[in-house]
Amino acid sequence: MIPVKENQLSHHRHIVSVAVALPVHDTFCYSIPEPLAPHACPGKRVLVPFGRRTVTGYLVGPAEEPTDKIDPMEIKHILDVLDDTPLFPETMIPFFQWIAAYYMHPLGQVIHTALPAGLNLADIAVLTIGGAGAEAVATPHPSPLEKIVLSALAKRPAGIKQLQKEIGQPVSWALIHQLRQRGWIQVDRQIKARQIRPKTVRWVTVKQTAPASERFSVQRKIIRNLLETKGDLSVPELKTRVPTAPALVRAMQKAGQVTVYEKTVYRDPFGDPIEPDIPPRLTAEQAEAVSAMAPLLGQGFKTVLLAGVTGSGKTEVYLRLTQAALDKGLRVLVLVPEIALISQIERRYRARFGETVAILHSGLSQGERYDQWIRIANADATIAIGARSCIFAPFGDVGLIIVDEEHDASYKQEGGLSYNARDLAVVRARHHNALTILGSATPSVQSWYNVSVGKYATARLTRRINRQPLPAIQIVDLSQSRDDRGIRRYITAPLQQAIKKTLDDGNQALIFLNRRGFSAFVICGHCGQPLRCKNCDISLTLHKRANAFRCHYCGFSKAAVSTCPSCGSDKIRLLGVGTEKIQEAMTHLFPEARVARMDRDTMTRKGSIVNLLKDLKHRRIDILVGTQMVAKGHDFPGITLVGVVCADLTLNFPDFRAGERTFQLLAQVAGRAGRGDRPGRVILQTYNPNHFSILAAKDQDFKAFFDQEIGFRKALGYPPFSRMIAVRISGKDSKQAAAHARALGENCRKLLTADGPYCGRIQVMGPIEAPLSRIAKHHRWQILVKSQHTAMLHRFAYELILDHRAAPAGRQVKVTVDVDPFFLM
C-alpha cells in the first residue's frame, strides 16, 4: 500500500484503498479525480494503473493510516469507476478481509473469486508485425520459431494466448522481447472488454402525438391497439401476437408512430413454473426443532447442528425457519453441497416463497449468474440458494444461514482460494450476528465435537416423517466371491436376487459405486505394466462409450485401440470396474429393466440432472446406477433397494478422514432406500466386513462411529484437536520442485529452533512427495504443519511462505497454501 503524509490529505481528499485482482497481498492507495468522486464508493469496481498494466480493482474504503514515507504526487489516479451501483455491500468487506487473512490469499483475488465470472477488465499485450518484420520473413535471419511467429502475425495482430493457439506451441516473453528489440514487431496494450453485461430488451410505447390513421396496415393497427390497451410491451411479446413485429416496429419508429427504448431484464435460470405448495403438518420432532430455533433469529450469533436421520424432514424445518426469518425482515442464505441437489431444494423454496428466491452456482451461464447476483445486490431477492460459492451472495445483512449436508466434502474448494463454505457460513453469521443451521444425517466429526464441547447447540430428528423404519442393511463379504469370474465378482448372488425381487415387486433399485468409467485398472497382458497417463502418475480408466482411455485428473485421453507403450503388445487387459461397466451388467442381467446412469460423465449437459430426476420420479427408470452424486440428499420415494457394489474404495486412501468419509457415504446412500410407503433394504458389499466404519454404517449409528473415531484423532493429535495447513510445492522440473521443497523444509527447521517461539508448539511433517506425485506434468511435494494454537500456526505459515525470509520460488515452482486441508493426496 502506498502511504500518504497526513498533512497533505487536504490536497488529496479522495484517497482510497483499492484491492487489485492480482496475486499481491497488499491493498494500494489511489486518488479519485474530482469528476469521479461522486460515483466512487466501496463495493464498486475501478479501473486503475498498476505498474505498466491497467487492471480491475475493488474499492474497499478510505486509505489506511498515512505515513510520511512518500510524496503524494506519486499516488496514481483511478482511471474509471466501472459500476453504477456497488456489486457487493460495504458490510461484506470485513468478511472478505477475514477470508484473505485466514486463508492467506490476496484480498483482490478473494473478491474476484466471490464475484460472478466475466466482469473484470484488464489490458492485454497485442503483437503487431512491423515493416522490418515482414521483410525479415523472406530472409534466413529468423530462427524457425521466429519465422512461424512472424508469419502468423503477418495475417493479423494477436495476443499471446491467441498466437500460441494459432501456431500450436508456446511463445516465451524472452522471444517477444527479442523480436521487439530487432524492430520486427510492436507490442501494444489494449483493454479487454468484460464478457458479460446486463441483458436488455427493446420495449415499445405508443406515441400519443401521432394520431391513428386509416392508412395503417392491419398489422400496424393490431400493434397500436395492443399498446393502447395493454400499455408498453416488449418486442418479443409483440412477436408472439404479430410474427413480423420486429420489422414493423422499426418502420413505425421511423414513421414517428411509436417510441422504442431499452429495458434491463433478468435472464431466467429456473425453467418450468412451480405451483405454490401447502405447508404440511409438522411431526412432533419437527415442531419441537422449529420452536427451539425460531426464537434465536435476530437475537445474535448462534450455531445449531440439526442432526436428523435420512428422511426425517430436515428440509421442511429449513422452510419453516426461513419463513420465520422473512417475517422478521431478515435475509436467508441456503447452501447445498452439489448442483445436482439445487434443483430439488430450489423447487421446494420457490413453491413456498415464489419470486423472492435467487440461485447462485457454477451451472448457470455467466449471464444468468450475473443477473441473479444483481437481483440479490438490488434486494429484489431475499433468499439465495446455491452451492459453496453462494456463501458470497451480496446481502447487506443476513439473518439466517442454512448449510444442508454440512459434512459434505464438496463444500471445500480445491485450488485457488481453498476455502470451506461450511466454515465460512459460521464466520459470516458471526459477522452479521445471524443464526447458522448446520444440517446432516451424518454430521462431521468436527461439528459433533463442537457440540460436545458446548460451542454449538443441537436439535435432533430421530424418526422418518412417514414413520417408516430405517432400511435393513445386509453386509455381503466380497472375499467370498473373490474366485468368481466376470461380473459375478461385483454383482454377488444376494445382490442379484435382491434386484430381481425389487423389480418383480414393481419398485426401483439404486446401484452405487463411487468410481466412474468402464474399467478402472488397465494393464498389458504381455508385460504386466499398467497403462498410465503421460501427464500424471495415474493409471488410465477405460470409458467404453467414448471408446477411449482417460485420466480423471488432467483429462488426457487416448484411443481404446492403443497398444502397450512399454512393449507394444495389443493384449490389453481390462481390470476393475466402474459405473459404466455396472450399467452394462444391469442391462445384460435384467434385459427388461430400464437402466440409467448418474455420474459426472452423463450429467454434463445443462438440464440433464433435472431430466433424470423427473424420469426417476415418474417411474421411467427401474435401475439407477450412480456415483456419490446419487447419495446426497435426493428423495426417491420409489427406491426400495440400494446395492453398494464395493464399500471399501474410500477406506484405502492415505488420509486420516478416510474412515469418516466411508461412514458418511455409506450411511447417506443407504438412506436413499425406503423413503416412500414401502420398507427399504440395503445390500452392502465389502472386503472389510468388520471395520468399525462399515459396522457403524450398517447400524446407522453415528454416535458409535464418533466415539471410536474421536479416540484415534485425539491419540494422533489430528483435527479437531489441532489445526493443519498444507504447503504444496509443484513444478514441471522434478529436481527444481524437490530442491524448493527441501529448502522450505530447511526453513521450517530454522523456525523451530529450540529458543524460538514455535519450538514444541508447531509440528512439521515433511517435506515428502505427495501420494499423487505427478499431476498434469507437475511434480508435487507437500509439507503438513500442525498445531493446537491457530494464531501461532498461521504466523508460522506466514513467515515460512510470505515473509522476506521465505525461500524464493521463482517462476518454475509454484507454492500454494491450503488452510484446513480436506484432501491430502
Side-chain angles (χ1 to χ4, degrees):
M1 180 174 176
I2 302 176
V4 186
K5 292 182 181 179
E6 191 164 0
N7 59 5
Q8 295 166 330
L9 284 179
S10 59
H11 302 291
H12 293 267
R13 289 180 294 111
H14 304 299
I15 298 177
V16 293
S17 183
V18 174
V20 294
L22 293 172
V24 289
H25 283 264
D26 297 320
T27 55
F28 299 87
C29 280
Y30 289 89
S31 65
I32 305 175
E34 287 293 340
L36 295 179
H39 308 286
C41 65
K44 289 187 177 183
R45 291 171 304 134
V46 290
L47 198 62
V48 295
F50 192 83
R52 298 181 180 179
R53 303 175 58 185
T54 302
V55 299
T56 297
Y58 310 103
L59 207 160
V60 294
E64 296 179 7
E65 186 69 24
T67 67
D68 56 357
K69 294 181 180 179
I70 195 167
D71 191 315
M73 299 304 294
E74 295 185 22
I75 297 178
K76 297 179 180 179
H77 296 294
I78 286 175
L79 303 177
D80 197 6
V81 177
L82 301 176
D83 300 303
D84 296 328
T85 58
L87 285 177
F88 53 89
E90 189 172 0
T91 54
M92 286 188 69
I93 293 173
F95 178 55
F96 290 143
Q97 291 170 333
W98 187 94
I99 294 170
Y102 185 79
Y103 289 105
M104 302 174 64
H105 201 74
L107 177 59
Q109 292 193 320
V110 168
I111 299 174
H112 175 70
T113 300
L115 294 176
L119 285 177
N120 285 349
L121 302 180
D123 61 358
I124 60 171
V126 178
L127 313 180
T128 307
I129 192 169
E135 295 174 1
V137 175
T139 69
H141 301 298
S143 68
L145 179 56
E146 289 172 343
K147 280 195 174 184
I148 292 172
V149 169
L150 292 173
S151 298
L153 293 178
K155 298 176 183 176
R156 69 178 75 84
I160 297 288
K161 290 184 179 179
Q162 181 184 356
L163 176 64
Q164 292 179 147
K165 187 176 181 180
E166 286 186 7
I167 68 175
Q169 55 184 306
V171 178
S172 68
W173 271 104
L175 176 64
I176 299 300
H177 291 315
Q178 189 175 349
L179 294 176
R180 183 169 60 177
Q181 286 175 349
R182 294 176 185 172
W184 291 351
I185 66 170
Q186 294 176 345
V187 181
D188 302 309
R189 305 202 76 90
Q190 297 179 5
I191 298 294
K192 184 180 179 182
R194 67 181 182 181
Q195 300 170 28
I196 59 172
R197 50 180 52 87
K199 180 181 179 180
T200 58
V201 172
R202 290 189 304 152
W203 281 64
V204 187
T205 182
V206 68
K207 206 165 186 179
Q208 299 297 338
T209 56
S213 171
E214 294 299 327
R215 291 178 295 173
F216 277 6
S217 68
V218 174
Q219 290 179 319
R220 288 196 188 193
K221 282 183 179 180
I222 294 173
I223 290 175
R224 186 178 177 89
N225 290 336
L226 284 170
L227 295 173
E228 287 177 338
T229 56
K230 295 183 176 295
D232 296 5
L233 294 173
S234 68
V235 172
E237 189 172 352
L238 284 172
K239 188 177 178 181
T240 62
R241 312 287 185 92
V242 182
T244 58
L248 289 170
V249 164
R250 283 194 293 270
M252 293 174 74
Q253 181 185 23
K254 191 173 182 181
Q257 296 159 355
V258 297
T259 300
V260 179
Y261 60 95
E262 298 282 338
K263 187 176 181 179
T264 300
V265 296
Y266 293 131
R267 302 164 181 90
D268 181 17
F270 293 113
D272 298 338
I274 302 293
E275 292 293 327
D277 75 343
I278 299 174
R281 184 175 181 179
L282 297 179
T283 65
E285 283 190 328
Q286 285 176 317
E288 184 179 347
V290 171
S291 62
M293 290 184 281
L296 301 175
L297 291 164
Q299 300 301 310
F301 168 60
K302 187 78 172 180
T303 300
V304 180
L305 176 65
L306 177 60
V309 299
T310 54
S312 59
K314 292 186 291 294
T315 303
E316 185 59 36
V317 174
Y318 301 154
L319 290 164
R320 297 301 178 96
L321 291 172
T322 298
Q323 183 64 65
L326 297 180
D327 291 344
K328 294 185 178 183
L330 304 174
R331 304 290 188 263
V332 180
L333 262 174
V334 183
L335 303 187
V336 292
E338 294 274 7
I339 295 175
L341 290 174
I342 292 175
S343 62
Q344 180 172 290
I345 199 166
E346 164 246 307
R347 292 175 74 88
R348 296 277 305 270
Y349 264 80
R350 286 174 58 211
R352 190 73 55 89
F353 303 108
E355 296 302 316
T356 63
V357 177
I359 58 172
L360 284 175
H361 59 78
S362 59
L364 303 178
S365 69
Q366 285 192 352
E368 289 170 343
R369 184 175 170 85
Y370 171 80
D371 283 355
Q372 294 296 298
W373 183 276
I374 295 301
R375 284 187 67 212
I376 298 168
N378 291 344
D380 293 332
T382 54
I383 302 168
I385 300 173
R388 58 176 174 258
S389 62
C390 188
I391 191 58
F392 302 116
F395 286 127
D397 198 13
V398 178
L400 174 64
I401 302 179
I402 296 168
V403 184
D404 191 29
E405 310 291 352
E406 65 84 24
H407 65 276
D408 201 286
S410 298
Y411 284 122
K412 174 69 173 180
Q413 168 71 32
E414 293 298 312
L417 173 60
S418 299
Y419 65 92
N420 188 318
R422 179 202 62 197
D423 297 344
L424 288 189
V426 177
V427 172
R428 187 166 186 189
R430 189 175 69 223
H431 277 256
H432 292 283
N433 285 319
L435 172 65
T436 311
I437 306 297
L438 308 179
S440 177
T442 55
S444 63
V445 169
Q446 179 76 53
S447 294
W448 194 258
Y449 176 77
N450 286 336
V451 169
S452 68
V453 298
K455 191 174 180 180
Y456 294 170
T458 185
R460 302 292 300 272
L461 300 174
T462 60
R463 299 184 184 90
R464 288 185 162 183
I465 53 175
N466 57 5
R467 296 194 174 274
Q468 279 281 10
L470 290 170
I473 300 180
Q474 175 187 351
I475 291 180
V476 175
D477 188 351
L478 279 175
S479 62
Q480 302 299 317
S481 60
R482 194 187 301 271
D483 297 329
D484 289 346
R485 290 182 173 272
I487 199 63
R488 288 185 299 172
R489 293 183 62 185
Y490 307 106
I491 308 298
T492 60
L495 178 55
Q496 188 172 336
Q497 292 164 9
I499 296 172
K500 183 177 185 306
K501 184 177 187 311
T502 299
L503 298 179
D504 290 344
D505 292 342
N507 297 319
Q508 296 168 299
L510 170 62
I511 309 301
F512 171 77
L513 177 64
N514 203 26
R515 179 174 285 163
R516 58 195 175 96
F518 185 85
S519 177
F521 191 55
V522 185
I523 67 169
C524 174
H526 180 73
C527 68
Q529 290 295 315
L531 266 66
R532 291 187 175 274
C533 172
K534 72 173 186 178
N535 304 320
C536 312
D537 285 336
I538 300 293
S539 60
L540 296 172
T541 298
L542 173 65
H543 288 253
K544 192 172 182 180
R545 186 175 180 181
N547 197 32
F549 297 118
R550 288 178 177 169
C551 173
H552 289 176
Y553 284 85
C554 74
F556 170 75
S557 178
K558 63 188 299 184
V561 294
S562 305
T563 57
C564 173
S566 299
C567 68
S569 171
D570 59 357
K571 297 179 180 179
I572 305 299
R573 295 190 63 190
L574 307 176
L575 306 179
V577 64
T579 49
E580 194 176 10
K581 191 170 188 176
I582 296 298
Q583 181 187 20
E584 183 179 276
M586 291 296 106
T587 304
H588 175 72
L589 292 171
F590 306 101
E592 301 299 321
R594 295 161 296 183
V595 183
R597 178 160 51 98
M598 186 178 185
D599 57 24
R600 201 183 305 172
D601 296 326
T602 59
M603 297 291 108
T604 54
R605 290 187 177 181
K606 187 174 182 178
S608 55
I609 293 173
V610 174
N611 291 333
L612 184 139
L613 295 178
K614 283 181 180 178
D615 288 343
L616 199 65
K617 179 181 178 181
H618 296 298
R619 303 295 184 99
R620 291 191 286 265
I621 295 172
D622 300 312
I623 301 175
L624 177 63
V625 179
T627 58
Q628 63 180 351
M629 292 179 74
V630 304
K632 302 177 180 181
H634 292 293
D635 190 10
F636 305 136
I639 289 179
T640 59
L641 173 70
V642 168
V644 179
V645 174
C646 184
D648 308 309
L649 297 181
T650 51
L651 266 181
N652 301 319
F653 284 178
D655 190 330
F656 71 91
R657 289 192 180 92
E660 180 181 5
R661 290 202 187 101
T662 300
F663 167 78
Q664 289 167 343
L665 195 55
L666 295 179
Q668 288 285 338
V669 74
R672 299 314 107 198
R675 295 171 74 98
D677 54 4
R678 299 184 183 183
R681 182 185 178 192
V682 179
I683 304 291
L684 197 160
Q685 301 182 155
T686 174
Y687 289 104
N688 296 278
N690 296 316
H691 194 281
F692 78 96
S693 298
I694 304 290
L695 294 175
K698 175 183 179 294
D699 297 332
Q700 298 273 292
D701 191 345
F702 170 77
K703 191 66 169 59
F705 168 78
F706 175 83
D707 290 342
Q708 190 153 359
E709 177 72 10
I710 201 69
F712 296 147
R713 300 277 184 96
K714 187 174 184 179
L716 297 172
Y718 280 120
F721 298 98
S722 66
R723 292 293 180 95
M724 295 178 67
I725 291 179
V727 180
R728 297 194 173 97
I729 305 99
S730 65
K732 289 188 175 182
D733 187 294
S734 61
K735 293 182 179 178
Q736 288 182 345
H740 190 73
R742 295 189 184 101
L744 283 178
E746 183 61 33
N747 277 0
C748 287
R749 285 185 284 275
K750 290 178 181 178
L751 289 171
L752 292 174
T753 53
D755 57 346
Y758 304 116
C759 181
R761 307 179 79 178
I762 299 288
Q763 183 181 353
V764 175
M765 295 170 280
I768 59 170
E769 280 191 291
L772 298 177
S773 59
R774 188 171 68 104
I775 292 180
K777 297 183 179 179
H778 284 75
H779 299 268
R780 306 167 71 242
W781 288 67
Q782 67 182 16
I783 300 172
L784 296 179
V785 188
K786 186 170 64 170
S787 177
Q788 296 178 7
H789 310 280
T790 304
M792 183 167 286
L793 177 67
H794 279 71
R795 190 159 66 248
F796 180 90
Y798 182 88
E799 287 193 45
L800 179 65
I801 303 300
L802 303 178
D803 195 53
H804 65 277
R805 287 176 286 181
R811 292 188 175 182
Q812 304 304 315
V813 177
K814 183 178 181 181
V815 178
T816 58
V817 177
D818 187 357
V819 179
D820 301 331
F822 241 63
F823 304 99
L824 302 179
M825 297 292 286

